[in-house]
DNA sequence: CGAGCGTTTGATCGGTGTCAAGGATCGTGG
DNA sequence: CCACGATCCTTGACACCGATCAAACGCTCG
């Protein structure tokens, strides 16, 4: 893969994402936009990183959706994160060295590949950027913790409702949609692997949520009829996403 | 709380822990040891941080064990990590600002409290330390991902066997024990909250593992009879702990 | 020695998994 | 634009793992 420096605004989704956690001054923004990178289009279901790889590039999503997952020895799959525009989809793998999980596209994706050495450099040359990226990985970890609680302690209806609330809020945060109505890019089997259920039970649970008047569905589109009731069913509170956290180190 | 600078080797467990991820030169080590901090003794079951707090100190474990957990709206509890000597137990909470989960002692604990501003400063003044701390939080995230898979896709016996393998390996990594035989500081109820089970079922499962000749138990002590068989039952592979990862950014 | 916590055991229930098959939708190529 | 195959969704019957409820037991530490 060839790396080219593109002085345009290609990487602006990253600037926007990192600014969710706190303002960045012009110098910091310019430094991000100036990162060397190479843009690629990827088809659905394509692997970005495979478990065991030693990626030397980090992948930034510019368009489309992707997910992280592990495959266990018995062949079952566990999805542990869904990613969207502006997410550094394998910062974790590329800095850690050997990938402990795979990353795969969900839809058609446009992605920028940035050399990991460039990430490391900008992190320390421009501390504000380094802190924002560190913060970003800490928020990812916070979401992992919430998923552990979701899968460990909630029943099927709550788990799925929770995932739908989270997805809507994340879309809204990056100004890509409305928490109350959006296109959900996952199949029921993928939802199952993200919630520790089976595809059959996800199907029944979605129909149940629909029958109870909590959601409406049409093709891949989901509409949440009553956000408050949905939050109640999900046991959802948005603190773990750390959107608008007034007391972070970044403020 | 009063902060005092102690030029001794009190913080050496942190140096040792961070060196799991790669060597640190003398200057970096000295900088860590010189961090301002205050040492405290804590009784078992005492809260170090509560969800919703805005901690301005990070807590480093010098002795004893602690765990992180969330309490859901229905009152159920989800434990998402166990911590031991050398772990920065609430780096995540203190940098994020508002704690999204609680941290509690498991046993009697000796801990050093370090101001978060000092953490932030050392991270950028001494990039090697900053990178090691970032790396450390990435390994935590990797462990969270494995726990998601553990709870989502393994049965009760595998989940518990997996937790026992992980605990033993972590003890061994910090030279505090032997993976094959150690004192497990958790009650069966805590094990249940860490594996998404109930205390009753943990009890039955432990007895089952014992009857199958996989483990032996006496009081709080656990002995793993056959590591290889235990790994098989657990579906355990140690890659996600990133001990001896030859291709990280730190090497 | 007693209280409290943690462990063990039994009986029963229920949520979710499994297996199997049919139906809908989508993407692709003719 | 239609045909066709593949993927995804839906439905039913049944099985089973782990939850629940209840009670007794045994440490351990004041």
């Amino acid at each position: 893969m060839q790396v080219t420096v593109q002085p345009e605004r290609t990487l602006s989704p990253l600037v926007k994402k990192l600014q969710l956690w706190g303002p960045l001054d012009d110098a910091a923004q310019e430094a991000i936009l100036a990162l060397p990178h190479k843009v690629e289009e990827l088809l659905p279901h394509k692997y970005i990183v495979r478990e065991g790889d030693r990626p030397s590039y980090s992948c930034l999503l510019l368009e489309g959706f992707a997910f992280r997952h592990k495959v266990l020895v018995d062949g079952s799959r566990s999805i542990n994160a869904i990613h969207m525009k502006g997410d550094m989809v394998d910062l974790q793998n590329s800095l850690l060295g050997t990938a402990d999980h795979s990353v795969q596209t969900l839809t058609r994706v446009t992605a920028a590949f940035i050399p990991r050495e460039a990430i490391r450099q900008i992190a320390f040359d421009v501390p504000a950027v380094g802190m924002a990226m560190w913060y970003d990985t800490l928020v990812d970890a916070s979401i992992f913790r919430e998923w552990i609680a979701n899968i460990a302690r909630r029943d099927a209806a709550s788990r799925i409702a929770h995932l739908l609330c989270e997805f809507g809020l994340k879309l809204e945060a990056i100004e890509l949609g409305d928490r109350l109505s959006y296109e959900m890019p996952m199949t029921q089997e993928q939802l199952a692997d993200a919630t520790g259920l089976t595809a059959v039970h996800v199907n029944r649970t979605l129909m149940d949520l629909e029958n109870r008047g909590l959601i409406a569905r049409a093709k891949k589109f989901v509409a949440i009829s009553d956000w408050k009731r949905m939050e109640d069913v999900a046991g959802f509170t948005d603190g773990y996403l750390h959107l608008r956290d007034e007391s972070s180190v970044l403020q």
Side-chain angles (χ1 to χ4, degrees), chain A:
Chain A
M1 190 179 348
Q2 196 191 342
V3 177
T4 54
V5 178
Q6 308 191 355
E8 306 118 37
R9 315 234 359 126
T10 320
L11 301 184
S12 62
L14 179 56
V15 174
K16 213 164 162 185
K17 173 75 190 299
L18 292 180
Q19 295 215 87
L20 283 180
W21 316 131
L24 293 172
D25 63 26
D26 287 351
Q29 294 189 35
E30 289 308 317
I32 293 170
L33 293 172
L35 280 167
H37 63 277
K38 162 103 193 228
V39 174
E40 283 194 18
E41 296 269 334
L42 302 167
L43 293 175
H45 315 304
K46 185 159 186 305
Y47 278 88
I48 296 176
V49 190
R50 281 178 195 271
E51 186 171 343
D53 281 0
R54 303 181 166 204
S56 48
Y57 290 82
S58 274
C59 169
L60 167 69
L61 283 188
L62 301 176
E63 215 168 321
F65 297 89
F67 66 101
R68 303 162 184 271
H69 75 273
K70 294 194 165 215
V71 176
L72 309 203
V73 284
D74 69 352
S76 61
R77 182 174 66 167
S78 171
I79 294 179
N80 52 55
I82 314 296
H83 287 289
M84 50 186 72
K85 184 176 172 182
D87 287 350
M88 296 279 319
V89 132
D90 64 348
L91 194 51
Q92 329 213 359
N93 274 329
S94 82
L95 293 180
L96 282 172
T98 307
D100 58 72
H101 64 285
S102 303
V103 182
Q104 211 174 344
T105 59
L106 216 40
T107 60
R108 176 176 270 276
V109 153
T110 311
F113 289 83
I114 306 171
R116 89 172 176 188
E117 263 314 297
I119 301 283
R120 179 205 171 96
Q121 268 179 34
I122 195 178
F124 292 100
D125 291 350
V126 191
V129 174
M131 204 65 218
M133 290 199 306
W134 190 2
Y135 194 91
D136 196 64
T137 60
L138 288 173
V139 173
D140 277 347
S142 172
I143 295 173
F144 290 143
R145 288 191 292 270
E146 184 69 21
W147 280 43
I148 290 174
N150 197 37
I151 294 170
R153 287 293 181 232
R154 286 194 260 257
D155 66 17
S158 301
R159 286 186 213 177
I160 291 178
H162 192 279
L163 189 149
L164 293 176
C165 286
E166 178 179 308
F167 196 84
L169 270 185
K170 284 175 70 173
L171 279 178
E172 210 173 83
I174 59 171
E175 294 167 346
L176 208 70
D178 174 356
R179 73 178 72 175
L180 294 178
S181 167
Y182 55 81
E183 187 177 351
M184 160 52 67
M186 301 169 75
T187 67
Q188 293 181 0
E189 187 174 358
Q190 290 159 343
L191 284 172
D193 288 337
T195 50
L197 299 166
T198 56
V200 171
H201 203 64
V202 166
N203 182 273
R204 291 192 230 271
T205 306
L206 282 172
M207 301 187 82
D208 180 51
L209 290 174
E210 195 165 24
N211 290 335
R212 288 156 68 186
L214 286 158
I215 62 172
R217 294 182 301 151
K219 311 233 173 143
K220 289 274 186 183
F221 289 87
V222 178
I224 296 175
S225 316
D226 180 341
W227 182 260
K228 188 72 192 66
R229 267 183 72 214
M230 191 72 168
E231 279 189 334
D232 286 348
V233 169
F236 187 87
T237 48
D238 66 3
Y240 75 97
L241 293 173
H242 292 278
L243 302 164
R244 60 169 191 294
D245 191 330
E246 304 293 325
S247 48
S248 84
V249 276
L250 300 176
Q251 303 297 331

